[in-house]
Amino acid sequence: MSSEFDDSGYLIHSRTFKERSLLLELFTVNHGRVGAVANFGKKDTHGLRAVLQPFVPLRFTFLKGRSELLTLKDAKRCGKLIQLRVPVLFCAEYLNELLYYLYRDEDSSPKLLAAYMRALNTLANASNAAEVERSLRDFELNLLENLGYAPDFRSACGRWDTGAFYVYSVDNGFVKSSENTDRLISGAVLNELSSGESLSPVARRVLKSINGRVLSQLLGDRKLKSRELYSDFIRQTA
């Protein structure tokens, strides 16, 4: 016997299943990552397929049976529609791809969900590239924290040695180094990152590089389509 319950959240991925169904991956308020199937009649009289769009806050009604896969009974928009245009649309798709490939938590993750919603709103209203970049780095850090892989920018001594240089590894964190490598990070930059305040362009580049290395290790061989689309767009408009 099936039971019914409601939740709200966002669609992060969908794919065709059989002739008139979609397999959905959802990021919800109370149940974290949720997998569900949506079945459509020939006419889809309630317009369910049209409602199931990414980046739209939705209210879901689920049926739970014996299978782990839920059945989506209904979905309705429950918040303001966010307008995302190219190229920031690719950035929003990047967020969804990271969630789809890396986030598996079936418990609620309010901090990560808040970071996701904050990023979407910033992308929709950003007036410059720096705001877009900050929103992406903030979301990446929140996701990595949720996964247990967030880089720790704090020094055991309180502050990093501003006259020294460090290298970062996922396993060992920041280690002082005298090697001649383009991955050297100054203690001054690490102090910036540790403060959590407004970052210089150099510190922003370092943060992007570190987050990217950790995410690449977690993603393995999986390629992000959003990155390819963004790169293609930049080449075409250059």
Side-chain angles (χ1 to χ4, degrees), residues 66-236:
R66 294 180 179 179
S67 170
E68 290 185 4
L69 186 66
L70 301 174
T71 297
L72 182 68
K73 181 180 177 182
D74 195 14
K76 291 182 172 63
R77 189 183 299 168
C78 64
K80 183 180 178 181
L81 178 63
I82 298 175
Q83 299 289 342
L84 294 164
R85 297 178 175 83
V86 173
V88 294
L89 176 61
F90 301 139
C91 298
E93 290 175 346
Y94 169 71
L95 306 182
N96 278 6
E97 284 192 291
L98 290 180
L99 288 171
Y100 175 67
Y101 286 123
L102 301 178
Y103 177 67
R104 291 287 183 270
D105 199 342
E106 295 180 353
D107 294 324
S108 62
S109 303
K111 185 177 180 181
L112 181 59
L113 180 59
Y116 178 76
M117 296 171 65
R118 187 165 59 246
L120 291 182
N121 279 287
T122 300
L123 291 175
N125 299 291
S127 58
N128 55 63
E131 290 182 12
V132 172
E133 188 176 345
R134 281 196 296 271
S135 70
L136 297 180
R137 301 295 86 79
D138 175 68
F139 177 77
E140 289 169 350
L141 287 173
N142 274 279
L143 176 60
L144 291 174
E145 181 180 347
N146 181 274
L147 299 173
Y149 286 93
D152 187 356
F153 297 109
R154 298 170 299 177
S155 169
C157 302
R159 284 184 63 80
W160 300 97
D161 182 353
T162 55
F165 290 87
Y166 301 81
V167 292
Y168 177 78
S169 73
V170 177
D171 296 327
N172 300 314
F174 297 96
V175 179
K176 191 176 290 189
S177 175
S178 58
E179 296 180 13
N180 184 16
T181 171
D182 58 359
R183 290 188 173 181
L184 286 178
I185 306 167
S186 72
V189 167
L190 287 179
N191 285 328
E192 272 192 77
L193 294 170
S194 177
S195 72
E197 298 175 358
S198 181
L199 301 179
S200 66
V202 173
R204 291 201 299 268
R205 287 195 296 271
V206 169
L207 180 58
K208 181 178 180 179
S209 175
I210 292 173
N211 285 1
R213 287 165 58 191
V214 181
L215 289 168
S216 293
Q217 181 169 315
L218 295 174
L219 287 166
D221 295 332
R222 290 169 290 198
K223 303 296 183 183
L224 300 184
K225 185 178 181 180
S226 56
R227 285 179 176 170
E228 296 176 4
L229 292 172
Y230 185 83
S231 297
D232 289 344
F233 174 82
I234 295 300
R235 282 196 297 269
Q236 292 171 12

Side-chain angles (χ1 to χ4, degrees), residues 22-62:
L22 288 176
L23 286 178
L24 311 173
E25 296 297 334
L26 311 170
F27 186 18
T28 69
V29 172
N30 298 311
H31 297 85
R33 172 78 174 262
V34 168
V37 60
N39 300 309
F40 309 103
K42 288 184 178 181
K43 297 182 179 180
D44 188 19
T45 53
H46 297 291
L48 182 59
R49 187 186 292 271
V51 171
L52 292 171
Q53 301 296 326
F55 320 123
V56 178
L58 299 170
R59 183 71 179 175
F60 306 109
T61 299
F62 298 107

